[in-house]
Amino acid sequence: MFNKLQYISQGETVEKQLQNIHQALDAGCNWIQMRFKNQTPEKRFVLAEAVKTLCEEYLANFIVNDDVSLAQEIAADGVHLGLTDMSISEARAILGDRKIIGATANTFEDILLQTKNGCDYIGLGPFQFTETKEKLSPILATEGYVSILNKMKSENITTPVYAIGGITLENIESLVKTGIHGIAVSGMITKSLQKEQLVQQLNDNLYANVII
Ligand SMILES: Cc1ncc(COP(=O)(O)OP(=O)(O)O)c(N)n1
Ligand SMILES: Cc1nc(C(=O)O)sc1CCOP(=O)(O)O
Ligand SMILES: [Mg+2]
């Protein structure tokens, strides 16, 4: 079963990214998506290699945002692809069945397409406005998640869904009730001054009703 909390990295330099990722791992995150936009391939490679080593040390999953070649080159655990990135089927043909391939969705129709093409999880968003990503799709709010998750249930689509976009601690309870599997967050963890406490609180909320 996939973890319920994903940290999506932030930082304008390799050093800042590494610092943020290291702090997230120290705080207890064990799923890292390296999101390092508008950088040279060399810098992305240097960062990816360092993140791979760190994630191995912390036994964390390491997912590369956008870049299937980089994910393959450094043998990451997987890749996350949006609606305008490489198609899920193409990525699957390159990476094979043992790698994790995540896909973005904003509507139920996106979910139908991405699951048909064989993604392993869905990042469904945005939940609300966020400054972390430009050109956001329409905001879903809690009602959007209720409607889409209900349609998934009626069509027996069981692919895990992660809510994403502007999520704060206060939103978790209502989001969990919609039937999401987990959340993917960036700013909330990057900006926190008490990351360990925050990650503990997030996991307490996300796993509140899970029977082990
Ligand atoms: C878990 C998760 N969900 C959605 C996204 C967004 O991916 P994408 O639409 O490709 O946008 P960028 O992140 O590439 O700007 C994500 N990264 N992770
Ligand atoms: C990377 C990303 N994708 C989104 C989508 O809606 O597809 S929202 C988003 C940003 C997530 O960061 P934060 O937790 O800081 O809002
Ligand atoms: Mg993308």
Side-chain angles (χ1 to χ4, degrees), residues 10-21 23 190:
Q10 281 183 305
E12 297 305 314
T13 62
V14 170
E15 293 71 27
K16 195 65 200 165
Q17 282 266 336
L18 262 185
Q19 185 189 34
N20 287 336
I21 290 169
Q23 287 179 359
T190 308

Side-chain angles (χ1 to χ4, degrees), residues 37 65-66 80-82 84-85 104:
K37 296 273 195 192
N65 176 260
D66 289 345
H80 185 94
L81 298 169
T84 57
D85 297 321
T104 304

Side-chain angles (χ1 to χ4, degrees), residues 76-212:
D77 296 304
V79 70
H80 185 94
L81 298 169
L83 291 157
T84 57
D85 297 321
M86 181 189 281
S87 76
I88 302 300
S89 343
E90 212 180 323
R92 183 65 73 200
I94 294 168
L95 295 176
D97 285 340
R98 298 174 69 167
K99 296 294 177 182
I100 300 167
I101 303 183
T104 304
N106 178 250
T107 62
F108 177 66
E109 288 66 33
D110 295 338
I111 292 182
L112 279 180
L113 173 78
Q114 303 283 45
T115 53
K116 195 169 90 194
N117 287 333
C119 69
D120 296 301
Y121 73 85
I122 294 283
L124 179 64
F127 170 65
Q128 57 190 5
F129 175 77
T130 175
E131 285 177 355
T132 306
K133 181 177 169 179
E134 290 169 8
K135 296 187 189 142
L136 284 176
S137 296
I139 284 166
L140 293 169
T142 310
E143 299 70 39
Y145 285 87
V146 171
S147 155
I148 293 172
L149 271 293
N150 281 345
K151 282 186 197 154
M152 284 181 74
K153 210 170 173 186
S154 63
E155 296 292 327
N156 287 318
I157 301 171
T158 56
T159 308
V161 172
Y162 290 83
I164 184 165
I167 296 173
T168 64
L169 189 56
E170 295 69 43
N171 307 133
I172 315 285
E173 203 181 326
S174 58
L175 274 169
V176 166
K177 284 188 189 144
T178 69
I180 56 154
H181 172 75
I183 57 169
V185 296
S186 195
M188 173 170 47
I189 290 179
T190 308
K191 288 181 203 148
S192 169
L193 298 176
Q194 292 181 302
K195 294 186 175 46
E196 195 173 340
Q197 195 182 321
L198 173 64
V199 169
Q200 183 66 55
Q201 283 174 312
L202 290 171
N203 279 326
D204 285 350
N205 281 278
L206 289 166
Y207 288 92
N209 296 314
V210 176
I211 300 157
I212 300 167

